[in-house]
Amino acid sequence: MSLDTVVVAVGDEAERTESVARTAIDVAGPAGATVRLLHVFSEEGYERVKDQLEFGPDAEVAPDDVAARHATIREVGAMLSEAGIEYESHGAVGDTSEEVLELAERVGADMLIVGGRGRSAAGKAVFGSTAQKILSNASCPVTYVRAP
């Protein structure tokens, strides 16, 4: 299987950032693949982060620009750069699983990498699982990275 494009869903959880980045390096590095980092914001989270990054409440700024300056995207991007892996930053506002799947389709991803908390089956049934939705609906292989 040839890997040209790997989409990596990057969340807010710092404890998962390193393990997701290392997995992306292990997968994309040997293949020479380009990594597409994606951070999906809720509407409320997007406005909060825009404000924290001093974009201003009325600034017309694209989610890609906000994501590129987001701490976890920068951290993963720095690790990828250090490993000699090309990457692009993407941002979206909406439902995480839908946005991850949409980007994967749009860029023709050969693989998705997502992180998760590793909840029990009962926990997933009660609360739902973004990772489970992605695993069930992705048109390419998905690597699930459980939080350390």
Side-chain angles (χ1 to χ4, degrees), residues 26 46 55 66 68 92-93 106 108 114 141 144:
D26 290 346
Y46 182 65
F55 278 112
V66 176
V93 179
R106 190 177 47 176
V114 299
Y144 177 80

Side-chain angles (χ1 to χ4, degrees), residues 86-147:
E86 291 183 31
Y87 74 94
E88 296 177 25
S89 299
H90 298 269
V93 179
D95 178 78
T96 301
S97 56
E98 289 175 16
E99 296 296 338
V100 169
L101 293 168
E102 190 279 325
L103 178 66
E105 283 295 317
R106 190 177 47 176
V107 301
D110 300 301
M111 178 175 280
L112 281 166
I113 298 175
V114 299
R117 291 183 196 87
R119 284 187 281 192
S120 68
K124 288 179 192 163
V126 173
F127 300 110
S129 169
T130 298
Q132 183 65 39
K133 290 176 190 171
I134 293 169
L135 288 164
S136 298
N137 295 296
S139 60
C140 63
V142 179
T143 297
Y144 177 80
V145 179
R146 189 173 175 169

